[in-house]
Structures are given as structure tokens and as C-alpha cells.
Amino acid sequence: MPFLDAIDRALQAFASFVWGPPLLVLLVGGGLALLIYSRGRPYRHLGHSIGLLSGRYDDPNDPGQVNHGQALSTALSGTLGLGNIAGVAIAITAGGPGAIFWMWITALVGVATKFYTATLAVMFRGRDANGELQGGPMYVIREGLGKHWTPLAMLFAVAGLCGMLPVFQSNQTTQLLRESFAEPMGWVAPGGSLLFDFAIGLLIAIASAYVIAGRIQRIGKFSARIVPGMVLFYLVMTLIVIASFWEQVPAAFALIFSDAFNGQAITGGALGTVITIGVSRGAFSNEAGIGTESLAHGAAKTREPVREGVVAMLGPIVDTLLICTCTALVILLTGAWQQGEGVAGVTLTAQAFSQVFGQLGPILLLFMVFPLAFSTIVTCWYYGMKCYVFLFGGRWQGLYTGLYMVLIVLGAVASLSAVNSIIIGMYAVMAIPTMVSTLLLARHVNRAAHDYFTRMEMTQRDGVEVSR
């Protein structure tokens, strides 16, 4: 329909505009500035995150709602899954192999960004309309910068409501389920079935409602159980594929590096397109500088904000440097990115796995994607609800949840292009208040980090653990 086509084009134009050079400078340049400003000190203490995740420093009496491990799992569940599978495929299709290099850059500087944003999320927690202690960019702005900065906080919350829509996850999960099971088994004709997509979306919505009923505590426990196992399962899958093409691995890396600076693998060879797509998909993948991860890390049980910052640093490493790289290698090594003309998203990744696993490939991929996509959906509800309560108070929360369930169903039958444009565009808008507030408040993090790491080094030297 011409009207829908016009809306689709308008949304694409909006996403392209907000992801222009100014935002790329803010995200990558801001992250690089934070890395330099910290003098790389957080990177040197990355190993401390393992001790924090083991529970050695947990205290049930600390303020917050979930422990360090559950906070990280919740944050990862919001990024792992389709962002690493469909997102990487979209990046390679639209920007060529070189886009992966720029995804790596966002991850490397994103380690520093996440340290600062997560630390601030705990340091400047505030009370919501229900009197509960909350963390996130809107509370960081209000509590850290002052109430006269409230419009910036509201900008994040409004963008968060739109950017946390569940439609992308619902859309791609339904597509993979239809193409992996329904079409091969003759349940639906090739090309899709509106009734089948609607039914799957409805089932996802019902299951989501059950987990959502337990709020962040149940979401945290669910994510802590699902995320580690699915990550390990996916790594095994990808390593089998990589091992099958091990002789071509150096050439695949060489292609990523060379194309990152000439863009010859995409039509027209536009280097700016490669960089823009790589940075935007990298930000969508690991969410460093976007602010969504702060909504999860801000719920951590701790009196030491720096601890949650150290834990959060693992996010870009696991998400982009590890999982996204594995996905990219699978797509490049199998040649699926050159053979699947007109194919995008999760379907392209499924075709790549089919090169090694045959018809079992998409099924194995679905086994990993479905739990992670589901966990992303319930995590995004939590993020969106925090934005909703910040904007509208505690009234009509049930209305928001009901609308969220409806959007899960609609997402299953929506256009991927329109869905992708809305979410990518809103992610860009969220990055503005997040990065501006982080850069303005970075000095507080540096002082807290100096104090914490000094105490940690002194107590370790004396053979005593940092106080709880």
C-alpha cells in the first residue's frame, strides 16, 4: 500500500538522520574520551568482576533488588539473542563485512562507557512514584545534575518507551520458527501465514505475561538461568562451523579489516555507510552508551557503585567481541552473505548454519534464539515500565503491560524494515541524554573509582578482602 510504503520510508529516513555523524562522534568519541579520562584503570581491574559475580561480595542487606550476577544476566538478556544473530546479519547485508570492525570499536570503547554508566546508575539512584529505589539514566540526570535537567531525563524516558518495543524480537522469532518448522513440515505455505504468525505472537505474549508478573526479581532469576547456558550452546555451534572452515578464518578477518576502510563489499563502496551501520548495529548489540543497561545495573544490591560498573564492563566483551564475532565468522565463512540476495536478518544466519548442519541448522539456531529472544522481551518490558513510571507515575501500569502484550502480537506480523527503523531510531535518541549526563558526571565516577580501587589494592596487599 502506498501509505504504508510512505511511512516505512519516513521511518528509515528518521533512523538515518539520527544516526548521523554527530551521534557517532558522541558515542564513539565520548567512549574514547571516557577511556582516556579513566586512564584505562577500570580495564586493569576487569578480573575483579569474576569475584563479584561469584557472590563473594554480596550482602542481602544492601539496597537494590537483584544481585550482581542477576543484574548482569538481565542486562545481557536485553542485548544477547537477536541483536547478535539477526543484527549481525543485517549489518553485513547493509554495510558489508567491514561493518563488523566498527562494531568491535563500539565494544572496545563501550567497556569504558558501561563502567561509567553502570556506576552512575547505582551512585545516583532515586525513588520512583511508588517509593521504590530505582536506577537508570533518567534518575542519574535528575539526582546527579538536578531537577532543572528534567527535560533531558524525560527525553530518555520517552525514547525508552518507544525503543523498548518488543516488536523486533517477536518479528524475528516468529520468522525463524515459521521457516524452520512450519514451512518444512507443510503447516504453512512458503512466504508466510498471517494466522500462524498471529498465533505464535499470542503464545509469546501469554508466556511473557507470566514472567512479567514476577517483576524484576523473577526476570533476574529467569535470565540468570537461561543466559549462561544459551551462550555456551551458541558458542559450541559456532565453533563447529568455524572449525569446518578453519583454513579460511584468516582470510575472513582480513576481509573485515580491509573492507572497514574502503567499503568495497557494498554497492557504491560508501565508507560512511560502513561506519554508520557498524556503529549503529554495535550500539544496538551491546547498548553501551544507550542507557538501557543502566536500568538493569541500577537494580543491583550493593553499596559500592564501582562494583556494578566493573561487572557491567563484561557486557560488550561477551556480547559483541565474542558472540557477534562468532556470528559474523559463520556468515562470512559459509559464504551465505554473498549467496542470500534479498535475504536479511535471522533468515540469513539460519542459512549460514544450514551450510554445515543441513536442515538441523535453523532448528538448533531456534533452540538458542527463542529463550534469549523471550528473555529480551520480558527485560524490555521492565525497561519500558521504569520509563513509564518515571513519566506518568504509578497509575495505569496495567494499561502499559496490556499494550505491551498487544505489541508482541503485532510485532509477529509487522514489517521488519519498519520495526527496525523505529527501534534503531529511538536507540539513537536514548544515547543523547545518556552520554551527555555521563560525560558531565564522569568526575564523580573517577573519584569513587580511585577510592574503591585504592582500598581494594591496600586490603589485598594486607591479605584482607575489601569490606562489604
Side-chain angles (χ1 to χ4, degrees), residues 82 86 167-177 344-346 416:
L82 289 168
V167 284
F168 180 76
Q169 288 76 21
S170 176
N171 180 284
Q172 292 287 271
T173 302
T174 302
Q175 179 180 325
L176 183 59
L177 185 61
V346 72
L416 173 59

Side-chain angles (χ1 to χ4, degrees), residues 134-442:
Q134 301 285 3
M138 56 278 203
Y139 294 100
V140 169
I141 293 168
R142 190 183 70 185
E143 305 297 325
L145 294 177
K147 292 189 177 180
H148 58 285
W149 287 84
T150 297
L152 193 65
M154 293 181 69
L155 175 64
F156 176 88
V158 171
L161 274 179
C162 299
M164 293 300 105
L165 298 175
V167 284
F168 180 76
Q169 288 76 21
S170 176
N171 180 284
Q172 292 287 271
T173 302
T174 302
Q175 179 180 325
L176 183 59
L177 185 61
R178 183 180 64 245
E179 295 176 353
S180 300
F181 278 102
E183 290 181 5
M185 297 185 72
W187 295 351
V188 299
S193 164
L194 188 64
L195 181 61
F196 175 83
D197 293 352
F198 178 83
I200 296 302
L202 186 61
L203 289 174
I204 295 173
I206 293 171
S208 299
Y210 169 75
V211 177
I212 284 170
R215 301 183 71 81
I216 183 59
Q217 289 81 3
R218 184 178 292 175
I219 293 172
K221 291 178 181 177
F222 175 79
S223 301
R225 291 170 182 166
I226 291 295
V227 170
M230 291 300 97
V231 168
L232 183 60
F233 176 77
Y234 187 64
L235 285 177
V236 171
M237 280 182 61
T238 55
L239 288 175
I240 290 174
V241 175
I242 293 170
S244 301
F245 295 89
W246 66 271
E247 292 180 332
Q248 301 174 34
V249 171
F253 277 108
L255 177 61
I256 291 172
F257 282 106
S258 62
D259 191 56
F261 298 98
N262 58 41
Q264 292 303 311
I266 63 172
T267 303
L271 178 59
T273 301
V274 178
I275 298 174
T276 300
I277 291 173
V279 173
S280 63
R281 296 314 309 187
F284 181 62
S285 169
N286 59 58
E287 300 184 3
I290 303 299
T292 50
E293 77 288 346
S294 298
L295 296 168
H297 289 295
K301 279 182 170 290
T302 182
R303 297 182 188 277
E304 294 278 7
V306 173
R307 286 180 178 170
E308 195 57 30
V310 173
V311 169
M313 286 163 54
L314 288 175
I317 295 173
V318 173
D319 181 278
T320 306
L321 295 182
L322 185 60
I323 304 298
C324 287
T325 299
C326 286
T327 301
L329 286 176
V330 167
I331 294 172
L332 295 177
L333 291 172
T334 59
W337 69 288
Q338 294 175 312
Q339 301 168 7
E341 184 176 353
V343 178
V346 72
T347 302
L348 180 62
T349 310
Q351 288 185 3
F353 278 103
S354 297
Q355 300 285 335
V356 174
F357 296 104
Q359 294 183 346
L360 190 62
I363 297 174
L364 291 174
L365 186 63
L366 178 65
F367 183 74
M368 178 265 185
V369 164
F370 190 82
L372 286 180
F374 179 74
S375 67
T376 300
I377 288 172
V378 297
T379 298
C380 285
W381 169 86
Y382 170 67
Y383 292 164
M385 179 59 80
K386 291 183 74 168
C387 293
Y388 176 90
V389 171
F390 183 84
L391 289 170
F392 305 110
R395 298 168 295 173
W396 306 312
Q397 292 184 49
L399 176 62
Y400 170 78
T401 301
L403 289 173
Y404 194 84
M405 297 301 109
V406 171
L407 288 171
I408 292 175
V409 179
L410 293 178
V413 297
S415 160
L416 173 59
S417 177
V419 167
N420 192 49
S421 297
I422 292 172
I423 296 177
I424 285 292
M426 288 300 104
Y427 264 56
V429 175
M430 283 189 284
I432 297 171
T434 299
M435 288 302 297
V436 168
S437 60
T438 300
L439 291 168
L440 290 175
L441 295 169

